[in-house]
Amino acid sequence: CRIKLFPKVREFIRSFKRNIRLFSLRVNLIVSSFYLEEKRMVLKKEWRNSDATRKEIMPALLNNQGGYICVFDTETTGLDDYAKIIQFSAVRYKIEDDFTLTECDYFNTYINPKEPLSDVITEITGITDEILKDKPTEELVAPYIISYMNGCNLWSAYNQSFDLKKLEGMCKRTNIEFAQKPSLDVLIMARELFLIKHVGLVPVCII
């Protein structure tokens, strides 16, 4: 089902687009300073994990110009390995030649986990048992979620290891193949750009 995205998801998307623009700027800086040893040293000091960034994030963007990236987020029943997804939200963007992102469409759905939510999860997510009681189960929506994501060249999320693990668990329970696409973690990008370890969505959007 397609409904208006929650503020948290919009906040996540703004954060991602901000980081992409800044990374695009840094790509240009690196290219323009390729022959200038002094500037290369300055750039090197700006990156905390320069090797990891250059080998993973930048090539992923450069190799997929003109392709599509799926920026997604999940809400779950908890943090443990067996937690289920109760909301999946994603936006598909086209990666333009200048690394700007053009929004194409979005996908958003609640999922009935067939188990009661804890008070903590309801407080964190704003999602209640009442909201989920008439929503489809993961058996019904999992194929649509994976099909939507597979329509993109790249995936991206904030602290993506958590979301990817929950998607993989959903696929195992519903007997759907989970073939992860190349993925970018916005959390790593934020740590690179702002040089601090703990970077939440709100501070990143404000900076």
Side-chain angles (χ1 to χ4, degrees):
C1 57
R2 295 178 60 166
I3 63 175
K4 185 176 180 181
L5 295 179
F6 281 166
K8 178 181 177 181
V9 180
R10 287 295 182 189
E11 183 178 278
F12 167 71
I13 294 166
R14 288 196 299 271
S15 167
F16 181 84
K17 293 183 76 173
R18 176 189 294 269
N19 280 282
I20 283 292
R21 286 194 295 270
L22 290 171
F23 263 83
S24 175
L25 174 60
R26 289 188 177 222
V27 170
N28 292 331
L29 283 173
I30 289 175
V31 172
S32 64
S33 63
F34 184 78
Y35 295 103
L36 300 177
E37 184 65 28
E38 183 177 352
K39 289 189 177 181
R40 280 212 308 272
M41 293 304 295
V42 172
L43 271 174
K44 187 174 181 180
K45 293 178 181 178
E46 290 181 3
W47 295 94
R48 287 200 309 143
N49 300 307
S50 58
D51 289 340
T53 301
R54 291 170 183 167
K55 291 179 181 178
E56 296 178 17
I57 297 177
M58 289 184 177
L61 293 175
L62 288 167
N63 293 336
N64 288 282
Q65 287 173 290
Y68 296 88
I69 183 168
C70 177
V71 184
F72 67 96
D73 190 24
T74 65
E75 298 293 355
T76 67
T77 57
L79 301 177
D80 59 81
D81 291 341
Y82 301 100
K84 296 179 179 179
I85 298 173
I86 56 177
Q87 184 183 17
F88 174 85
S89 301
V91 179
R92 178 159 41 199
Y93 290 96
K94 182 177 181 181
I95 305 171
E96 305 292 355
D97 290 341
D98 61 356
F99 298 105
T100 57
L101 303 178
T102 300
E103 183 175 337
C104 300
D105 50 40
Y106 67 87
F107 181 95
N108 189 70
T109 185
Y110 290 112
I111 304 173
N112 186 340
K114 297 189 290 187
E115 62 184 64
L117 301 179
S118 69
D119 292 339
V120 173
I121 293 301
T122 294
E123 182 179 353
I124 292 173
T125 66
I127 300 173
T128 65
D129 292 329
E130 183 68 20
I131 291 174
L132 299 178
K133 69 177 184 179
D134 296 324
K135 299 301 182 288
T137 61
E138 61 182 16
E139 289 81 5
L140 293 175
V141 299
Y144 296 100
I145 291 174
I146 298 305
S147 176
Y148 185 86
M149 297 183 71
N150 284 342
C152 297
N153 309 80
L154 290 171
W155 295 350
S156 182
Y158 202 93
N159 190 21
Q160 67 176 6
S161 60
F162 174 84
D163 299 283
L164 290 172
K165 187 176 295 184
K166 298 303 175 285
L167 285 167
E168 184 176 10
M170 178 187 71
C171 288
K172 286 183 179 179
R173 291 190 296 271
T174 57
N175 296 315
I176 296 175
E177 181 182 359
F178 182 75
Q180 183 180 330
K181 295 289 185 75
S183 302
L184 301 179
D185 194 332
V186 181
L187 175 58
I188 294 176
M189 297 166 72
R191 286 174 176 169
E192 288 282 333
L193 291 168
F194 305 124
L195 305 182
I196 52 178
K197 183 175 181 180
H198 302 290
V199 187
L201 285 174
V202 174
V204 169
C205 291
I206 293 174
I207 292 176

